[in-house]
């Protein structure tokens, strides 16, 4: 698929067929994730991959209070055969930037204008979503609802924070519970671009 098509066609998918996913596609998505940019090439990410039905079931049991009381969103999402939790490690960034070529040996968090550890994991997550689209699959990024339960169930160490969850699978026609785009319009890019000066909008050709 052309890159422009991957970008434009990607949508969060919230309803899946139970058909298994080719493991090679999951591996490709994970390998692509590690090609995301990262501050100082810290690569302080990790990915918890759940691709066996029993593990996916364990995830949902930890993630929601009552899996047997599922609404349309949960019913569609729970069918996804693969669940990936991208995780970020602040400690990995503090360690990396204390190395000689960076030199922030005080490990002072005030030096960080943004939590780059979360940003980098999010960039990696987007590559997983785009790889799914490229492979003709569906995927959805969403939050960890019950973090301590999920951490405990899968032994996620303190050094890592799950930044979210990605479901991955074959989309079904309905594509699932209505997402916000059914209720909101996409803001035209010209409305969010400030060219040359904040408040100056549009493209040079406009
Ligand atoms: C940080 C983040 C959190 C999100 N959380 C949820 C969520 O909890 N449930 C959900 O269904 N979708 C969630 N989404 C998906 C957004 O609703 C979706 O990206 C947005 O409506 C735009 O739709 P699109 O991605 O299909 O273009 C999340 C997306 C992001 C980036």
């Amino acid at each position: 698929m052309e890159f422009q098509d991957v970008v434009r066609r990607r949508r969060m998918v919230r309803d899946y067929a139970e058909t298994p996913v080719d493991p090679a596609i999951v591996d490709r998505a994970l390998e692509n994730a590690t090609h995301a940019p990262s501050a100082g090439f810290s690569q302080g990410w990790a990915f918890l991959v759940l691709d066996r039905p029993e593990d996916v079931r364990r995830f949902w049991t930890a993630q929601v209070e009552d899996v047997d009381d599922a609404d349309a969103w949960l019913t569609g999402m729970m069918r996804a055969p693969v669940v990936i939790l991208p995780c970020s490690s602040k400690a990995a960034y503090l360690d990396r930037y204390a190395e000689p070529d960076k030199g922030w040996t005080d490990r002072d968090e005030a030096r960080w204008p943004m939590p780059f550890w979360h940003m980098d994991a999010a960039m990696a997550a987007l590559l997983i979503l785009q790889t799914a689209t490229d492979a003709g699959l569906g995927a959805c990024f969403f939050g960890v609802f019950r973090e301590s339960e999920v951490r405990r169930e899968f032994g996620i160490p303190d050094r890592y924070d799950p930044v979210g969850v990605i479901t991955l699978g074959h989309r079904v026609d309905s594509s699932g519970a209505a997402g916000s785009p059914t209720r909101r319009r996409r803001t035209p890019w010209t409305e969010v671009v400030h060219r040359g000066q904040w408040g100056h909008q549009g493209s040079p050709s406009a």
Side-chain angles (χ1 to χ4, degrees):
M1 196 185 283
E2 289 292 321
F3 179 69
Q4 275 301 314
D5 291 330
V6 171
V7 172
R8 297 291 176 93
R9 287 189 196 170
R10 187 212 55 76
R11 295 282 178 277
M12 297 302 187
V13 169
R14 301 177 178 85
D15 195 7
Y16 299 90
E18 277 162 2
T19 323
V21 169
D22 178 354
I25 297 175
V26 179
D27 286 353
R28 191 191 312 155
L30 294 163
E31 185 174 0
N32 284 351
T34 64
H35 285 261
S38 66
F41 209 19
S42 302
Q43 306 169 79
W45 45 50
F47 304 89
L48 175 66
V49 180
L50 309 173
D51 54 5
R52 298 186 309 172
E54 60 270 33
D55 292 335
V56 171
R57 182 77 183 173
R58 283 166 61 216
F59 166 73
W60 287 111
T61 304
Q63 164 85 342
V64 300
E65 217 171 295
D66 185 2
V67 281
D68 297 320
D69 183 26
D71 60 8
W73 185 93
L74 187 55
T75 303
M77 291 290 256
M78 282 199 302
R79 270 197 293 267
V82 179
V83 172
I84 300 172
L85 284 83
C87 301
S88 72
S89 172
K90 178 166 75 176
Y93 286 75
L94 298 182
D95 290 349
R96 165 68 187 110
Y97 275 70
E99 288 176 15
D101 62 328
K102 295 290 184 188
W104 293 359
T105 48
D106 56 11
R107 300 169 61 92
D108 183 356
E109 288 182 36
R111 290 180 178 278
W112 296 85
M114 284 284 151
F116 284 170
W117 37 95
H118 295 328
M119 291 176 61
D120 293 352
M123 292 197 204
L126 179 60
L127 287 171
I128 294 174
L129 300 176
Q130 290 183 325
T131 305
T133 302
D134 184 50
L137 296 178
C140 185
F141 183 98
F142 56 102
V144 179
F145 302 156
R146 300 203 309 162
E147 188 185 330
S148 49
E149 285 82 352
V150 169
R151 272 184 182 283
R152 195 175 327 119
E153 181 64 33
F154 295 101
I156 300 173
D158 289 346
R159 189 177 164 89
Y160 286 91
D161 293 312
V163 298
V165 188
I166 297 171
T167 44
L168 186 71
H170 293 270
R171 56 189 303 164
V172 292
D173 281 344
S174 79
S175 85
S180 298
T182 60
R183 300 180 293 276
R184 293 168 60 84
R185 64 164 196 154
R186 182 177 304 280
T187 308
W189 70 274
T190 49
E191 288 182 23
V192 292
V193 171
H194 305 265
R195 196 179 292 272
Q197 181 82 15
W198 197 270
H200 292 187
Q201 293 181 336
S203 66
S205 57

